[in-house]
């Protein structure tokens, strides 16, 4: 039996399935990764500085450039791809309980998951947060203000500094999200790690928790990962091809 067929059998028989995704699921949507050889931060260290909380808070020029850049990129439409859509289908089949993602692009939610199943552990670029009062609002609302001439927009309620709703370097992850992700990993029958190098903590602990709790751990990634040794199956391939085939196989088994 092929690896895909084995994994499909486990998923079809599972009472609980937890999925973790990383940058690899969004590359087919034209979003580059950040730390790879051709990554955004590897090629442009200034871009990494924009994602560092101390620099964001202390440097108005950096904020102005970042907001202008985002207004300039507004027309660039980024769509979910076949990998995202396959996971929505898996949810529709009743075989995806929790989807944890390291991605901030919002594409899983746009693809159509039930929002309560999705944990965006590194936040989302689709929202802007106030660093003082914590208020969150759609990014488009703030970009409208920038487009109308506000170079360094602040919170209209409290005057606090605004920042993308992502977790910057130097910021803590949301404890509720981390607790939810830990719980989903510890209580699952099958744990799928998709398109992530599993090198960034604490997310890299999740497959370890799942394996320690007796779950089948499956890693699908273009390249080897830091956690391959604990997986029951490792598939080194692109997600845009593997995921639709895998989910189709699950559907056959459930029919
Ligand atoms: Zn505020």
């Amino acid at each position: 039996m092929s690896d895909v067929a084995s994994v499909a059998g486990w998923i079809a028989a599972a009472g609980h399935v937890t999925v973790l995704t990383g940058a690899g699921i969004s590359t087919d949507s034209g979003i580059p990764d950040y730390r790879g050889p051709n990554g955004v931060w590897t090629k442009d260290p200034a871009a990494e500085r924009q994602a560092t909380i101390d620099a964001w808070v202390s440097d108005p020029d950096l904020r102005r450039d970042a907001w202008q850049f985002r207004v300039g990129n507004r027309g660039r439409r980024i769509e979910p791809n076949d990998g995202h859509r396959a996971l929505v289908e898996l949810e529709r089949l009743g075989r995806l309980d929790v989807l944890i993602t390291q991605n901030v692009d919002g594409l899983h939610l746009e693809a159509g998951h039930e929002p309560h199943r999705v944990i965006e552990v590194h936040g989302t670029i689709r929202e802007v947060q106030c660093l003082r009062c914590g208020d969150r609002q759609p990014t488009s609302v703030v970009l409208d203000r920038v487009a109308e001439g506000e170079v360094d927009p602040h919170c209209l309620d409290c005057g606090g500094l605004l920042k993308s709703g992502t977790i910057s370097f130097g910021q803590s992850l949301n404890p509720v999200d981390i607790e939810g992700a830990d719980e989903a990993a510890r209580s699952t029958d099958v744990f799928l790690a998709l398109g992530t190098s599993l090198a960034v903590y604490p997310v890299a602990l999740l497959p370890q928790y799942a394996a320690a709790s007796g779950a089948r751990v499956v890693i699908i990634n273009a390249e080897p990962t830091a956690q391959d040794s604990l997986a029951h199956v490792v598939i080194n391939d692109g997600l845009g091809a593997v995921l639709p085939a895998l989910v189709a196989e699950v559907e056959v088994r459930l029919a």
Side-chain angles (χ1 to χ4, degrees), residues 18-21 96-104 108-109 113-124 174-185 203 206:
T18 295
V19 175
L20 167 68
T21 67
L96 188 157
D97 293 277
V98 180
L99 172 57
I100 304 154
T101 186
Q102 298 170 269
N103 299 337
V104 297
H108 286 301
L109 286 174
H113 285 282
E114 295 176 30
H116 72 92
R117 295 192 189 280
V118 178
I119 302 176
E120 295 171 309
V121 286
H122 293 162
T124 176
N174 179 338
V176 173
D177 288 345
I178 290 304
E179 224 167 87
D182 285 359
E183 174 61 24
V203 164
L206 298 176

Side-chain angles (χ1 to χ4, degrees), residues 130-135 155-162:
C130 170
L131 293 178
R132 186 184 291 164
C133 74
D135 178 60
C155 178
L156 295 178
D157 289 335
C158 79
L161 203 56
L162 297 182

